[in-house]
């Protein structure tokens, strides 16, 4: 394909996707809500190397936002994102019309209840139903061979993987490592909400997880003690932050573990001013 094409009609996207599938073309998809940062770009660069045709989608999906969340203010800069897409070698930028993604009376939802009782599923009821539904629709429209997602949203990747497997959707789900700022803050479109003071303390979110890893590697196995140490660390270093959750979970089932296994995930969500920031660290004691 020469030059980047922008498609806004879901039906036109699907016609093209089906044609690519018929021709056996390997299509990579990077689904996003726009306002790209280096995390998104690294997904695109990685996908670019593994497919014949690369599609990036931008859709601020209303059904994954709860009442009072930031749907109305979600940052957006489509001109900038389009230029970045072209630089990353995106072939098709899919920016579907909202009214055509959800027709009046839309009432079909995808739910993955086992994986969404904990962490963000608990704090943001309905969020993962919106995510699973829109990703299922994007998969049906784009017909990709694989789709790449960032592991900052670890629970999201687990949900999408399970949905894809259990609904027999012929798409490979690829989770890619978290991309961080030089000071360790996980990249997020929502970092733009931080004031200078909040931005200065935000890297302590990851540092708390590193402290936890250090304690585990030094032999601490008591989850209560580990969580208390990190909570105390956050209280000292991010006093204006409000901890939403700090959990030690099984990386696949997302269930809380009561004693440290050889392989687990430490996951955190913390509100800092207008931003709700999430981060996680997989700790594998065999590695
Ligand atoms: O991670 C995101 O940006 C969104 O949740 C996604 C996967 C694009 C679905 O709207």
């Amino acid at each position: 394909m020469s030059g980047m094409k922008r498609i806004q009609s879901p039906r036109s996207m699907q016609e093209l996707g089906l044609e690519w599938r018929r021709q056996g073309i390997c299509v990579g998809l990077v689904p996003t809500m726009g306002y790209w940062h280096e995390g998104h770009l690294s997904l695109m660069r990685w996908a670019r190397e593994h497919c014949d045709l690369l599609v990036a989608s931008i859709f601020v999906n209303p059904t994954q936002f709860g009442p009072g969340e930031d749907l109305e203010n979600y940052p957006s800069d489509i001109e900038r994102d389009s230029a970045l897409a072209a630089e990353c070698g995106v072939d098709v930028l899919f920016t579907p019309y909202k009214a055509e993604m959800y027709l009046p009376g839309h009432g079909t939802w995808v739910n993955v209840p086992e994986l969404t009782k904990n962490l963000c599923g608990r704090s943001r009821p309905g969020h993962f139903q919106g995510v699973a539904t829109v990703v299922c629709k994007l998969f049906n429209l784009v017909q990709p061979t694989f789709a790449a997602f960032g592991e900052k949203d670890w629970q999201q990747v687990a949900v999408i993987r399970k949905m894809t497997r259990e609904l027999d959707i012929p798409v490979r789900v690829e989770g890619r490592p978290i991309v961080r700022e030089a000071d360790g803050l996980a990249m997020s479109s929502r970092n733009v909400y931080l004031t200078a003071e909040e931005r200065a303390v935000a890297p302590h979110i990851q540092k708390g997880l590193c402290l936890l890893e250090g304690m585990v590697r030094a032999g601490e196995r008591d989850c209560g003690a580990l969580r208390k140490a990190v909570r105390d660390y956050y209280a000292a270093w991010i006093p204006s932050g409000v901890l939403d959750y700090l959990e030690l979970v099984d990386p696949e089932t997302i269930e809380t573990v009561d004693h440290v296994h050889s392989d687990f995930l430490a996951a955190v969500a913390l509100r800092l001013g207008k931003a709700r920031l999430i981060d996680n660290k997989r700790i594998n004691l065999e590695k």
Side-chain angles (χ1 to χ4, degrees), residues 31-33 40 59 61 64 127 131 134-135 138 149 153 156 160:
T32 79
M33 298 207 299
H40 296 112
F59 182 61
N61 173 36
Q64 70 187 72
H127 169 67
V131 169
V134 82
V135 171
L138 290 168
F149 299 86
D153 298 287
Q156 168 169 283
I160 293 168

Side-chain angles (χ1 to χ4, degrees), residues 6-261:
R6 179 160 170 199
I7 297 183
Q8 293 195 271
S9 149
R11 290 288 77 79
S12 310
M13 182 68 250
Q14 194 177 47
E15 275 166 28
L16 196 58
L18 286 169
E19 182 52 34
W20 289 336
R21 196 170 272 272
R22 263 192 297 273
Q23 291 179 18
I25 294 172
C26 175
V27 178
L29 169 66
V30 180
T32 79
M33 298 207 299
Y35 209 69
W36 292 344
H37 49 68
E38 193 50 39
H40 296 112
L41 303 184
S42 78
L43 288 176
M44 282 179 246
R45 290 192 203 105
W46 179 85
R48 177 67 284 170
E49 284 182 11
H50 293 85
C51 64
D52 303 321
L53 283 175
L54 176 59
V55 180
S57 66
I58 299 180
F59 182 61
V60 181
N61 173 36
T63 66
Q64 70 187 72
F65 289 79
E69 290 189 351
D70 55 346
L71 172 62
E72 305 311 326
N73 307 318
Y74 198 82
S76 133
D77 188 343
I78 189 74
E79 298 311 320
R80 182 173 157 273
D81 289 350
S82 298
L84 292 169
E87 274 172 38
C88 289
V90 168
D91 296 294
V92 171
L93 184 62
F94 179 42
T95 56
Y97 298 119
K98 193 158 81 185
E100 292 186 24
M101 280 298 268
Y102 292 106
L103 298 177
H106 179 97
T108 304
W109 303 103
V110 181
N111 272 295
V112 188
E114 284 83 7
L115 294 190
T116 55
K117 290 184 199 119
N118 210 353
L119 309 186
C120 291
R122 177 180 297 154
S123 316
R124 304 182 67 191
H127 169 67
F128 285 115
Q129 171 180 286
V131 169
T133 303
V134 82
V135 171
C136 183
K137 285 167 73 67
L138 290 168
F139 285 0
N140 283 330
L141 294 171
V142 178
Q143 300 279 319
T145 313
F146 69 83
F149 299 86
E151 288 180 342
K152 178 169 71 67
D153 298 287
W154 183 280
Q155 189 175 18
Q156 168 169 283
V157 183
V159 166
I160 293 168
R161 203 169 261 140
K162 188 168 167 74
M163 165 193 82
T164 308
R165 191 171 59 236
E166 294 184 351
L167 295 182
D168 306 301
I169 302 177
V171 176
R172 212 170 66 236
V173 175
E174 299 279 1
R176 302 292 307 152
I178 300 177
V179 178
R180 298 181 181 281
E181 303 284 357
D183 59 11
L185 176 65
M187 290 201 184
S188 163
S189 305
R190 290 184 167 106
N191 290 349
V192 63
Y193 297 149
L194 298 172
T195 62
E197 293 74 32
E198 290 159 356
R199 174 65 189 80
V201 294
H204 286 294
I205 298 174
Q206 188 214 18
K207 292 199 172 78
L209 299 178
C210 294
L211 168 79
L212 186 148
E213 177 168 23
M215 288 176 70
V216 173
R217 292 200 185 276
E220 183 60 81
R221 293 290 179 269
D222 177 353
C223 290
L226 291 165
R227 292 172 67 228
K228 179 174 182 318
V230 182
R231 276 202 308 265
D232 289 349
Y233 179 88
Y234 289 153
W237 290 97
I238 322 179
S240 60
V242 179
L243 193 59
D244 177 350
Y245 63 73
L246 168 68
E247 293 282 343
L248 276 60
V249 301
D250 179 285
E252 263 148 51
T253 64
I254 316 294
E255 275 174 25
T256 300
V257 295
D258 41 25
H259 51 270
V260 166
H261 294 211

